[in-house]
Amino acid sequence: MPLHPTHPTLADGYSPPALIRAYRGERPATTPVWFMRQAGRSLPEYRALRVGTDMLDSCLNPELASEITLQPVRRHGVDAGIFFSDIVIPVRLAGVDVRIVAGRGPVLENPVRSAADVRGLPPLDPAALSPIREAVAATVAQLGPTPLIGFAGAPYTLASYLVEGGPSKEQLKTRALMHSDPETWAALLIWCADITGAFLTAQIEAGASAGQLFDSWAGSLSLADYTAHVAPFSARALEPVRELGVPLVHFGVGTGELLGAMRDIEVDALGVDWRLPLDEAVRRVGPDVTLQGNIDPALLQAPWPVLEAHILDVLARGRAARAHVVNLGHGVPPDTDPGVLTRIVEFVHSRD
Amino acid sequence: MPLHPTHPTLADGYSPPALIRAYRGERPATTPVWFMRQAGRSLPEYRALRVGTDMLDSCLNPELASEITLQPVRRHGVDAGIFFSDIVIPVRLAGVDVRIVAGRGPVLENPVRSAADVRGLPPLDPAALSPIREAVAATVAQLGPTPLIGFAGAPYTLASYLVEGGPSKEQLKTRALMHSDPETWAALLIWCADITGAFLTAQIEAGASAGQLFDSWAGSLSLADYTAHVAPFSARALEPVRELGVPLVHFGVGTGELLGAMRDIEVDALGVDWRLPLDEAVRRVGPDVTLQGNIDPALLQAPWPVLEAHILDVLARGRAARAHVVNLGHGVPPDTDPGVLTRIVEFVHSRD
């Protein structure tokens, strides 16, 4: 399938960046590296920029969202930008009353728990996505050859926020609905898949070179529940995006037991959290997928020699995969010293 | 090894209760059932009793702790009492400034993060455990033939509270210390193992018939970290308890990948959370251990037919184990309808 017109193509004599080649299964001369949540709270320039602006408002301000996306690329020399946004942005753009409460996360005024609640969820007007398209286009224009990765939350994680009304440890109400009323569950997950798929599609169409689906809460599920009640909707979210021909990445926290089912959704790369060594991940998912990860975020606080030994171990185990994109095993913790991230990029780039 | 004098023995012509026989590997005529956190917030009689009393104070008031332990046994007809206490009680009894903040959990005034902090941790005076002994003795006297299970937190979970200064999602500081300063880590875990071992020992000596070690946070660890930096200290905590000859149970949340290493600590039973089917757990741990679990707490909110089908599935899969003690896959959620728990007990008892 052809790339979107904004993407350079091989026919232009263009060689794709290392990140894209790695996602496609090649091993570029230098191992690509970027960090989940590299855009945001760990950077003083981000905190300065955000003063006085609400989180979701900053995501919907194209100039701000673009600048925040670019900050870590400038500072760290990472191999990709990750579009600065929030998992609930498409929910907000559809017109649902959701806001981010500092220190807590996304909170909904009216949780979605019944068949009537689900029927009442408004459709997402494609026009509402224009601030997203605008921010992505501005970012891509400034990134030059560095690729931008599009960002979206997976349907299960979105549904969890909608049902619980806020963040929760084990998504009890969400998982109760899944089993108590499978029809309402399916209708809810279809709504989530369609808005988050449209959100990611808009980013790719505006120039992002890859897309990552984040399933933050999938780790609370048994393999059986994930396979039956979640994976089909993650696949649905990715369907329209796949047609655009860019590589797709799928990541969840605590999903070591689900990796095989996540691979079956047919993505180009799987993110692995810090719990599972990459060589063991390869044994679980087979050779036909690139792995992304999985430096333990806890070790960002350790003395450099300890962290360096860990990175070397991650790189060594990553050789078992067809290709490896270095990342953390979860997002950058807010109190991370940004200098450590820059040093990791330099170190990984110097190894090959 | 002989049971403590307060325990009835086979020599008395006494047949141990179903729970103890199941922990030992027998299959009693009726499958035993109890619920983690059965004592506490889900019961209105508990909430009435606790009015005006701080959480840790209620654990240290023998009369209150005993009454709270007995409430769910009276109400539900479960096969065991679980001693009402808190994981940080031995920390508090050693003289460390820790309190429970409502809606948050245990909070420490001064987190323990350096070698000097660890050296400054006070020893636990065995005399400080007398309210625990008193509460257990009073409870056992009232329980009659129903066994009491002793309660203690595993060293890693205790250490996490000490290092983080409160609950945390991924224990980043704790895991950073583990790798950055293994000597200080070992000293900290030894302190934790010894106080929590003494806490559990006191309960068994006062008449509890079994002991369960709760490793609430172990699920954030890779298998390699768990095996190298955590399991030896959990084993150390259980060593003095094992000599008392009662069955020991080990439980952690999200520890499907760690079950083999948890079994290697040599306990009689392993608790399994809701993520892993019990027959798959048997494949991982082998036939020489009893399994406990693993009804999904989310389904306590589902209509009875949905929950019943789930319980039947749990029971069917549990047949793969040498013996099975029915429990939830994690603690009773605070908003659980107590009537559902009673119905589960009746249902499980009616099945054999």
Side-chain angles (χ1 to χ4, degrees), chain B residues 6-214:
Chain B
T6 55
H7 289 274
T9 64
L10 291 172
D12 303 329
Y14 162 85
S15 168
L19 177 88
I20 302 302
R21 289 169 51 212
Y23 281 155
R24 297 257 183 242
E26 286 178 56
R27 285 210 159 257
T30 303
T31 304
V33 51
W34 67 278
F35 305 108
M36 294 185 283
R37 285 195 190 274
Q38 65 188 17
R41 287 180 296 175
S42 67
L43 297 185
E45 58 267 37
Y46 164 81
R47 294 193 296 266
L49 204 59
R50 266 288 309 285
V51 169
T53 309
D54 169 82
M55 171 66 188
L56 295 186
D57 289 346
S58 69
C59 295
L60 293 172
N61 176 326
E63 206 181 327
L64 261 184
S66 175
E67 174 59 19
I68 295 169
T69 303
L70 292 164
Q71 284 175 341
V73 182
R74 283 191 210 114
R75 183 192 263 263
H76 301 309
V78 281
D79 288 88
I82 174 79
F83 183 55
F84 176 75
S85 195
D86 191 278
I87 277 174
V88 297
I89 280 291
V91 176
R92 160 87 159 250
L93 290 176
V96 174
D97 185 1
V98 57
R99 65 212 155 84
I100 307 285
V101 175
R104 188 156 169 233
V107 172
L108 271 88
E109 207 52 54
N110 303 299
V112 177
R113 294 183 184 162
S114 68
D117 291 343
V118 173
R119 275 194 304 272
L121 286 167
L124 172 60
D125 178 356
L129 290 163
S130 61
I132 304 303
R133 296 174 188 274
E134 207 181 308
V136 168
T139 309
V140 170
Q142 290 198 60
L143 275 173
T146 304
L148 177 69
I149 303 170
F151 168 99
Y156 174 71
T157 293
L158 272 186
S160 298
Y161 286 115
L162 291 166
V163 175
E164 307 288 339
S168 79
K169 257 172 77 174
E170 299 179 347
Q171 299 91 51
L172 297 173
K173 289 186 173 63
T174 311
R175 297 191 293 108
L177 177 66
M178 174 190 291
H179 289 279
S180 304
D181 187 349
E183 269 183 51
T184 297
W185 176 255
L188 172 61
L189 273 271
I190 284 172
W191 186 83
C192 291
D194 290 350
I195 63 163
T196 209
F199 177 55
L200 193 51
T201 300
Q203 295 170 56
I204 311 296
E205 287 179 345
S209 302
Q212 180 161 324
L213 198 67
F214 289 78

Side-chain angles (χ1 to χ4, degrees), chain A residues 41 57 76 95 111 153 186 199 211 219 226 240 263 267 271 303 305 321 349:
Chain A
R41 287 180 296 176
D57 289 345
H76 301 309
F199 177 55
Y226 180 77
R263 174 211 55 209
V267 288
H349 284 167

